[in-house]
Amino acid sequence: MDEKPSHSSDSLYVKTFRRIPVVFYLIKWLIITLLIGAGAGTASAWFLFSLEWATDFRESHLFMIALLPLGGLAVGLLYHYFGKRVEKGNNLILEQIHSPKKILQFRMAPMVFGGTVITHLFGGSAGREGTAIQMAASIADQFTGLFKLRPRDRKILLIAGMAAGFGSVFGTPLAGAVFGLEVFFLGRIRYDAILPAFMASVFADHVTRMWNAHHSHYSVSFIPEADFQNVLYAIVAGICFGLAGRAFAKATHKWGGFLKKHIKYPPFRPVVGGVIIAALVYLTGTTKYIGLGLPTISAAFSEPLPAYDFAAKLIFTAITLGAAYKGGEVTPLFFIGATLGNALAYVLPMPVAVLAGIGFVGVFAGAANTPLACTLMAIELFGAEIGIFAGIACVTAYMFSGHAGIYSSQVIGMPKH
Amino acid sequence: MDEKPSHSSDSLYVKTFRRIPVVFYLIKWLIITLLIGAGAGTASAWFLFSLEWATDFRESHLFMIALLPLGGLAVGLLYHYFGKRVEKGNNLILEQIHSPKKILQFRMAPMVFGGTVITHLFGGSAGREGTAIQMAASIADQFTGLFKLRPRDRKILLIAGMAAGFGSVFGTPLAGAVFGLEVFFLGRIRYDAILPAFMASVFADHVTRMWNAHHSHYSVSFIPEADFQNVLYAIVAGICFGLAGRAFAKATHKWGGFLKKHIKYPPFRPVVGGVIIAALVYLTGTTKYIGLGLPTISAAFSEPLPAYDFAAKLIFTAITLGAAYKGGEVTPLFFIGATLGNALAYVLPMPVAVLAGIGFVGVFAGAANTPLACTLMAIELFGAEIGIFAGIACVTAYMFSGHAGIYSSQVIGMPKH
């Protein structure tokens, strides 16, 4: 277990003794991650179907948006009376990884599933990774008792669960695996969960695909050479992405704190947020900034968009999530990043698809402090050629986003500079 | 510097104070990494040219191989009398990262350059990443005095230097950056050098390309679906790659230890190694297992090769490097992995190019304990589609390669299981 580096202890006995545990380790985690993959992949698939349905229904029944405050009230009441122990969501999982205490309740999965579908059905601006991660982690954690896992193994299990949820909901298994390893410490990766994270994410992604759930595709056809000038542009863009990620995290925290301070009864907070969102949609006359915003994300790769799109989405999402609607931050961060990249094409001489692509992952890299996962995500979504620009932009965004990201239970493992 | 996570301290003063250091940090490291990139990229390019020349000359003047013991003696004498302080090579750099003491002597660069060209000119079996890393790091370290860097910054500088050397010599900047971050701790990545590592590697790679140095290309045309069966095959292959990496590290260490014990005068050790290699070439009648072995690596992606190729290369390289010839381990590990993957195609129903490709990076991932860098390398060399199989194989190889890799100064940051 705590094998020391040594070139001397080579008796057959030691060799055999050394080899066996890793084989057991592999078989144990192969079985567990296959189960996690089946559960998390299935949950992600059904969740993606439900989101598609909710989005389509809302877009063809726009009056639904006026009912957002009621939807928010329903979810608020549900969590207040039945979900006290699961309402911290992603942060609860991160806390359990750092100091394992109580098994996650299974109800976390159906509650966050239902809560998120309601957010999207009634037109909140939110994402889906939080939901996928919470479903996957709470499903995974049910195996803790079943397999009588020790606290150290439970930590690995939770990391694998997060990886499985993330990888399957976005169709990016490598990014999912590294996200699981990267997210709980800021500035540090530890490899004790590396094999389970990779296996769980790959298996879950495959299960989601077996259900025929499909993921969005984006096309980045031409990537310029990574000469000094273009790399410098990517750095400049990365700074903007990092500051946007920082602004988003701050705005959401601040608005959430403001509501908490002034509205003592939690179920009323989403009501206030819902009223504001519904009013904003009515005033602006567009549904562009609510929901997942997938059509606008796609458009950001090919056509000029208003330069304020990213700011509008940032405001809509901060209002929604700060008011405790369920969902996630990541897809709105993709939207903010892709449209901010699109806007930067007005000033930086780089192809709009490249700027949209590196923005897509860059703002998220800054806000979640996960630059390597985001670099891999760009490669999985847009191809290997964007790798250098994505890597530079994500790492720069990470450097410029400050130490307080979207996950407040993330522990600082290493200051950034 | 040691900014704490906080959502409260938002006065303009604090904000400005927080932002300025990271801008300074960026500008400082932009300048330093541009210099490192220029130096390391140029060194890598000239080194690649020299290796091409040395290989061509040897292959058209096969009698050179008989002179290998003399070449080894020359390099041994040189290092014994003029290179005591640089002969530990890569391990010296790793030690300086862990506990910075003395600036690396600049002579490390020309000595390892010349020593490696001699290895290849006379037919030792070795690689080139050690040379590229040592050249880059010793060039980089000359800036320590120039910029009056503190020990903490010097550490970042050395990591960036290793990244630049690795990224430029293989034409894989992302793998280079992550290799620099990943190699000095086993089982852990820390992000304090992440931006400098990325910039240095990308800049150095670009400079090498500006010199028109070219890298080998490998073609992996068809990648099967990542279903359970194929992922399981990748795991099985990964186990083989990990054990091969482990066997290589052990064989090299053991043979090196044996020579050290029985031959007290260091310059005679490469003589003995050279006699054995020359005799083996004469007996086997082939130069397939000496030098870099690039033609065989290419062949491994497309045609059936003898199943013992990987073992032969392992033996030739362990004999060469254990006898203190200069070069590196990585290209031979590519050879061992690609041919082992090729051999596994006799038993695993996967395309030979996929198995060769994941073996190429997998054995190296296990031997150097750098699974993420190797996953990125596969993506950079073979395309994004191989990512899942490469990731699974590299991580599995990492799990199965034990805790004593090729770099004995690597510190165990986290036991593997």
Side-chain angles (χ1 to χ4, degrees):
Chain A
M1 204 57 95
D2 283 332
E3 224 179 320
K4 292 280 178 302
S6 135
H7 314 140
S8 51
S9 46
D10 290 293
S11 71
L12 189 66
Y13 171 75
V14 173
K15 269 184 188 159
T16 317
F17 182 77
R18 271 188 182 170
R19 282 278 71 71
I20 287 172
V22 66
V23 171
F24 281 153
Y25 177 96
L26 173 68
I27 293 171
K28 178 172 90 178
W29 286 107
L30 191 59
I31 294 168
I32 297 176
T33 55
L34 276 168
L35 291 168
I36 294 177
T42 301
S44 287
W46 292 359
F47 177 53
L48 288 171
F49 296 138
S50 307
L51 285 186
E52 218 176 303
W53 168 80
T55 305
D56 287 349
F57 189 88
R58 183 193 70 227
E59 288 298 310
S60 51
H61 302 80
L62 290 178
F63 67 88
M64 296 293 285
I65 302 169
L67 304 178
L68 178 61
L70 290 182
L73 180 66
V75 176
L77 289 169
L78 199 69
Y79 268 88
H80 189 62
Y81 291 105
F82 300 100
K84 269 263 157 57
R85 271 178 56 203
V86 297
E87 70 183 343
K88 285 173 84 180
N90 288 356
N91 285 319
L92 178 65
I93 303 169
L94 296 182
E95 282 165 20
Q96 291 299 312
I97 291 174
H98 287 296
S99 50
K101 279 180 197 115
K102 270 196 169 167
I103 305 285
L104 300 172
Q105 291 180 303
F106 179 72
R107 68 172 69 171
M108 184 181 229
M111 285 184 74
V112 75
F113 186 124
T116 307
V117 171
I118 288 177
T119 304
H120 287 282
L121 186 62
F122 294 100
S125 171
R128 46 196 171 175
E129 105 293 346
T131 316
I133 288 173
Q134 289 170 48
M135 291 191 300
S138 59
I139 291 169
D141 211 6
Q142 306 314 309
F143 299 120
T144 299
L146 194 65
F147 290 97
K148 298 194 177 56
L149 296 182
R150 295 164 302 169
R152 186 161 171 257
D153 282 343
R154 179 169 172 243
K155 197 177 133 175
I156 295 175
L157 177 100
L158 289 174
I159 294 170
M162 296 186 81
F166 191 98
S168 60
V169 81
F170 295 121
T172 55
L174 296 178
V178 174
F179 179 84
L181 299 169
E182 203 173 28
V183 69
F184 56 100
F185 269 124
L186 183 156
R188 197 188 280 184
I189 287 191
R190 296 195 323 194
Y191 285 9
D192 40 353
I194 193 167
L195 183 60
F198 269 78
M199 293 194 300
S201 184
V202 167
F203 292 147
D205 173 56
H206 182 62
V207 169
T208 301
R209 288 174 199 271
M210 282 171 74
W211 284 99
N212 276 319
H214 51 86
H215 306 286
S216 315
H217 289 282
Y218 310 94
S219 160
V220 183
S221 48
F222 170 71
I223 317 264
E225 201 194 348
D227 59 19
F228 298 120
Q229 232 172 339
N230 286 331
V231 171
L232 213 63
Y233 296 146
I235 292 175
V236 172
I239 295 175
C240 299
F241 301 148
L243 296 177
R246 181 187 171 87
F248 174 80
K250 268 199 182 301
T252 308
H253 290 314
K254 272 196 171 293
W255 170 242
F258 176 85
L259 284 179
K260 267 198 188 124
K261 196 172 154 196
H262 294 285
I263 302 179
K264 293 295 166 206
Y265 186 59
F268 286 163
R269 292 172 199 153
V271 176
V272 174
V275 168
I276 300 175
I277 293 288
L280 280 175
V281 171
Y282 183 76
L283 288 173
T284 56
T286 173
T287 59
K288 191 174 174 180
Y289 305 116
I290 61 171
L292 293 167
L294 297 178
T296 308
I297 298 179
S298 279
F301 285 79
S302 53
E303 57 196 72
L305 296 176
Y308 53 78
D309 267 3
F310 82 94
K313 183 68 177 176
L314 193 156
I315 293 165
F316 273 77
T317 311
I319 292 172
T320 303
L321 295 180
Y325 279 87
K326 300 300 156 187
E329 292 86 352
V330 177
T331 309
L333 289 169
F334 292 164
F335 184 120
I336 294 168
T339 53
L340 176 54
N342 186 285
L344 286 172
Y346 291 111
V347 286
L348 294 177
M350 292 259 279
V352 63
V354 173
L355 287 168
I358 64 177
F360 185 105
V361 292
V363 173
F364 167 39
N369 294 308
T370 53
L372 293 188
C374 292
T375 303
L376 281 166
M377 179 168 233
I379 288 169
E380 292 184 283
L381 291 176
F382 315 128
E385 289 69 28
I386 207 169
I388 295 179
F389 293 119
I392 289 283
C394 288
V395 170
T396 309
Y398 164 80
M399 291 303 300
F400 277 80
S401 66
H403 288 81
I406 49 175
Y407 304 120
S408 54
S409 296
Q410 194 174 50
V411 167
I412 297 190
M414 176 67 60
K416 292 186 179 180
H417 56 92
Chain B
M1 204 53 102
D2 283 332
E3 221 179 323
K4 292 282 179 302
S6 136
H7 315 138
S8 52
S9 47
D10 289 294
S11 71
L12 190 66
Y13 171 76
V14 172
K15 269 184 189 161
T16 317
F17 181 78
R18 271 189 181 170
R19 281 280 72 72
I20 288 173
V22 65
V23 170
F24 281 154
Y25 177 96
L26 173 68
I27 294 172
K28 178 172 90 177
W29 286 106
L30 191 58
I31 294 168
I32 297 175
T33 55
L34 277 168
L35 291 168
I36 294 177
T42 302
S44 287
W46 292 358
F47 177 54
L48 288 172
F49 296 138
S50 307
L51 284 187
E52 216 176 307
W53 168 80
T55 305
D56 288 349
F57 189 87
R58 183 194 70 227
E59 288 299 309
S60 51
H61 303 79
L62 290 177
F63 68 88
M64 295 293 285
I65 302 170
L67 304 178
L68 178 62
L70 290 182
L73 179 66
V75 176
L77 288 169
L78 199 69
Y79 267 88
H80 190 62
Y81 291 105
F82 300 99
K84 270 262 156 58
R85 271 179 53 202
V86 298
E87 71 183 340
K88 284 174 83 179
N90 289 357
N91 284 319
L92 177 65
I93 303 169
L94 297 182
E95 283 166 19
Q96 291 298 311
I97 291 175
H98 287 296
S99 49
K101 280 181 196 110
K102 270 194 170 169
I103 305 283
L104 300 173
Q105 291 180 303
F106 179 71
R107 67 172 68 170
M108 183 182 232
M111 286 183 74
V112 75
F113 187 124
T116 306
V117 172
I118 289 177
T119 303
H120 286 282
L121 186 62
F122 294 100
S125 171
R128 46 197 171 173
E129 104 294 345
T131 316
I133 287 173
Q134 289 171 47
M135 292 192 300
S138 59
I139 290 169
D141 212 6
Q142 305 314 307
F143 299 119
T144 298
L146 194 65
F147 290 97
K148 299 195 176 57
L149 297 182
R150 295 164 302 168
R152 184 158 174 259
D153 281 345
R154 179 170 172 243
K155 197 177 133 175
I156 295 175
L157 177 102
L158 289 173
I159 294 170
M162 296 188 80
F166 190 98
S168 60
V169 82
F170 294 121
T172 55
L174 295 178
V178 175
F179 179 84
L181 299 169
E182 203 172 28
V183 70
F184 56 99
F185 269 125
L186 183 156
R188 196 189 282 186
I189 287 191
R190 296 196 322 196
Y191 285 9
D192 40 353
I194 193 168
L195 183 59
F198 270 79
M199 293 194 299
S201 184
V202 167
F203 292 146
D205 172 57
H206 182 62
V207 169
T208 302
R209 289 174 198 270
M210 282 171 75
W211 283 100
N212 277 319
H214 51 85
H215 306 286
S216 315
H217 289 282
Y218 309 93
S219 161
V220 183
S221 48
F222 170 70
I223 316 262
E225 201 194 349
D227 58 19
F228 298 120
Q229 228 172 343
N230 286 332
V231 171
L232 213 63
Y233 297 146
I235 292 174
V236 171
I239 295 175
C240 299
F241 301 148
L243 295 177
R246 182 187 171 90
F248 173 81
K250 269 200 183 297
T252 309
H253 291 314
K254 274 197 170 293
W255 170 240
F258 176 86
L259 284 179
K260 267 198 189 125
K261 194 171 156 195
H262 295 285
I263 302 178
K264 293 295 167 207
Y265 186 59
F268 286 163
R269 291 172 200 155
V271 177
V272 174
V275 168
I276 300 176
I277 293 287
L280 281 176
V281 172
Y282 184 77
L283 288 172
T284 58
T286 174
T287 59
K288 190 173 174 181
Y289 305 115
I290 61 171
L292 292 167
L294 297 179
T296 307
I297 298 179
S298 280
F301 285 80
S302 52
E303 56 195 72
L305 297 176
Y308 53 78
D309 268 4
F310 82 95
K313 183 68 178 176
L314 193 156
I315 294 166
F316 273 77
T317 311
I319 292 172
T320 302
L321 295 180
Y325 279 86
K326 300 299 157 188
E329 292 86 351
V330 176
T331 308
L333 289 169
F334 291 163
F335 184 120
I336 295 168
T339 52
L340 177 54
N342 186 286
L344 286 172
Y346 291 111
V347 286
L348 294 177
M350 293 258 279
V352 65
V354 173
L355 287 167
I358 64 177
F360 185 104
V361 291
V363 173
F364 167 39
N369 295 308
T370 53
L372 293 188
C374 291
T375 302
L376 281 166
M377 180 168 232
I379 288 170
E380 292 184 288
L381 292 175
F382 315 128
E385 288 69 29
I386 207 169
I388 295 179
F389 293 120
I392 289 283
C394 288
V395 170
T396 309
Y398 163 80
M399 290 303 301
F400 277 80
S401 66
H403 287 81
I406 49 175
Y407 305 120
S408 53
S409 295
Q410 193 174 52
V411 168
I412 297 190
M414 176 67 61
K416 291 186 179 179
H417 54 93

